[in-house]
Amino acid sequence: MEERGRYTREEILSQPAAWSAALEVMEAQRKDLQSVALGGYAQVIFTGCGSTYYVALAAAALLQELSGVAARGLPAAELWLFPRSSFVSGKTLLVAISRSGETTETVEACAAFRNAGLGDLLTLSCYADRPLARLGRWNLVLPSGQERSVAQTRAFTTLYLATVALAALWTGKEELTEGMKRLGDCGRSLLSRYGALASSLGGDETLDRFYWLGSGPRYGLACEVSLKMKEMSLSHSEPFHFMEFRHGPKSMITPSALIVGFRSSFQGAREEAVLREAAALGGRVVTIAEEGADVTLISGVDEAIRNVLYLPVGQLLAFERSLSRGLDPDKPHHLDAVVKLT
Ligand code: F1P
């Protein structure tokens, strides 16, 4: 009998190596990717479905922060079915993200975008021989993000890292591109330092609800880890922007609630205050931050490029809870690896 979660475990633990391989692909295509002139677009839209929609959210926030160019993250079905509420007048750069490269909504959204002549398309996926990788003016393929598990982990962080590398490249921030080479080692250190914490929280049967707080470029990442907890462990799990948590959701805090904060350096004091309030209301709180937290990244790299490091511990927590509940993280309830619509 196959070991439950065998593939998910391997995919989570191999992420640092996958990130380094992805950065090598980006470096090899640097010249071609440098031909993208952000100033020529009225807006940049990132799109995907499920996990890759959350990549899109995180990527858009970071690119706009670094470049000042208007950037949005939208689900592919919204672009496909409601284009008028998605596109503004003026040329758009569309960045379509998909692990499989064959999700119907994403492929259809790209085809409609091209047919309408709305701008230029860049695709980001993990399989060169699938439809999406043939649709773009630029097509980035990251094989190291390929997975056997249905729930994305390595694929998510690898595709997300590529969007961070694009933002650094397109804004000419060479120091960020250089700093990204250290992320593989930072990821390995995180996974070894916090495996035990993930296992103990994952096995804690007194927890029955999970809240993930992240703001700015980290909100999309909070959405992703919240989805992992749902997909893998069938638990109640929700993401919020930090300051939004006070406006209603905090009513859900009980001693059985775990609140995980992706605390930034930029607004760390205000974000920490939300977490202290949650603890004072009786919730269990885990803070993830560069330093002075329950989970310390200690990356030594710029905040703009270290956000990928918020993912691994949360992924492991969802993975461990799934196992402790007798589930198989490799085969999430009701889900398929790719959603194909007839
Ligand atoms: C998109 C997606 C995944 C999800 C599940 C179903 O796939 O929604 O995010 O985890 O596997 O498909 P893709 O377009 O990124 O391949």
Side-chain angles (χ1 to χ4, degrees):
M1 185 171 146
E2 274 203 343
E3 172 205 343
R4 282 185 300 123
R6 172 182 162 215
Y7 297 120
T8 306
R9 181 193 304 274
E10 190 272 326
E11 287 154 4
I12 291 174
L13 296 179
S14 64
Q15 288 179 109
W19 302 347
S20 303
L23 292 176
E24 285 168 20
V25 169
M26 303 294 290
E27 188 54 35
Q29 291 191 229
R30 179 190 180 83
K31 206 161 176 48
D32 188 27
L33 294 167
Q34 260 172 336
S35 64
V36 175
L38 281 186
Y41 300 102
Q43 69 171 351
V44 182
I45 290 184
F46 293 84
T47 195
C49 297
S51 290
T52 39
Y53 162 52
Y54 297 141
V55 175
L57 279 180
L62 181 70
L63 182 64
Q64 183 163 315
E65 182 178 289
L66 293 182
S67 68
V69 174
R72 297 169 77 195
L74 287 169
E78 293 300 298
L79 300 187
W80 175 29
L81 305 177
F82 299 94
R84 290 174 52 194
S85 60
S86 304
F87 296 105
V88 296
S89 56
K91 204 173 170 192
T92 293
L93 172 62
L94 178 61
V95 181
I97 309 157
S98 172
R99 168 180 66 181
S100 64
E102 53 188 6
T103 296
T104 300
E105 294 136 274
T106 309
V107 172
E108 290 294 339
C110 291
F113 174 79
R114 284 174 38 139
N115 295 339
L118 294 174
D120 295 323
L121 172 62
L122 183 149
T123 69
L124 246 179
S125 61
C126 300
Y127 298 87
D129 59 347
R130 299 198 181 163
L132 194 72
R134 295 192 286 270
L135 287 177
R137 176 174 169 188
W138 303 274
N139 297 293
L140 255 176
V141 177
L142 305 173
S144 63
Q146 293 177 8
E147 292 176 314
R148 307 244 337 221
S149 292
V150 170
Q152 296 196 20
T153 50
R154 178 171 70 193
F156 179 92
T157 54
T158 300
L159 290 163
Y160 168 65
L161 206 69
T163 69
V164 175
L166 286 173
L169 179 67
W170 289 343
T171 54
K173 297 181 187 313
E174 275 306 312
E175 72 285 2
L176 297 185
T177 302
E178 199 48 39
M180 291 185 74
K181 294 172 183 167
R182 296 178 47 182
L183 290 172
D185 288 342
C186 298
R188 264 182 284 279
S189 159
L190 266 175
L191 287 164
S192 64
R193 283 185 290 132
Y194 294 107
L197 173 67
S199 180
S200 95
L201 284 171
D204 186 338
E205 281 302 308
T206 65
L207 295 171
D208 70 0
R209 61 195 71 180
F210 299 83
Y211 301 106
W212 311 84
L213 309 186
S215 290
R218 286 159 299 280
Y219 173 65
L221 308 183
C223 291
E224 167 59 11
V225 184
S226 181
L227 179 64
K228 287 309 97 151
M229 184 56 85
K230 274 196 181 83
E231 288 177 335
M232 291 191 201
S233 75
L234 305 182
S235 301
H236 169 90
S237 180
E238 285 190 276
F240 295 101
H241 294 87
F242 261 99
M243 306 294 270
E244 276 297 296
F245 194 55
R246 290 192 182 100
H247 298 276
K250 74 174 181 179
S251 59
M252 287 295 288
I253 292 177
T254 62
S256 62
L258 180 69
I259 300 97
V260 181
F262 293 3
R263 197 185 72 205
S264 68
S265 300
F266 180 53
Q267 290 293 351
R270 289 194 182 279
E271 293 169 345
E272 184 61 29
V274 175
L275 297 172
R276 289 309 107 220
E277 280 181 41
L281 291 171
R284 303 268 301 278
V285 171
V286 168
T287 308
I288 304 179
E290 175 66 4
E291 54 203 354
D294 303 300
V295 176
T296 56
L297 309 181
I298 48 173
S299 67
V301 302
D302 190 286
E303 181 145 76
I305 58 172
R306 71 164 92 111
N307 292 317
V308 69
L309 299 175
Y310 286 92
L311 274 297
V313 175
Q315 292 169 336
L316 277 179
L317 173 49
F319 171 77
E320 294 291 354
R321 182 169 170 89
S322 176
L323 293 182
S324 74
R325 302 190 80 188
L327 301 168
D328 184 352
D330 288 349
K331 302 175 188 125
H333 201 216
H334 297 330
L335 294 188
D336 298 309
V338 187
V339 174
K340 284 189 183 170
L341 307 176
T342 50

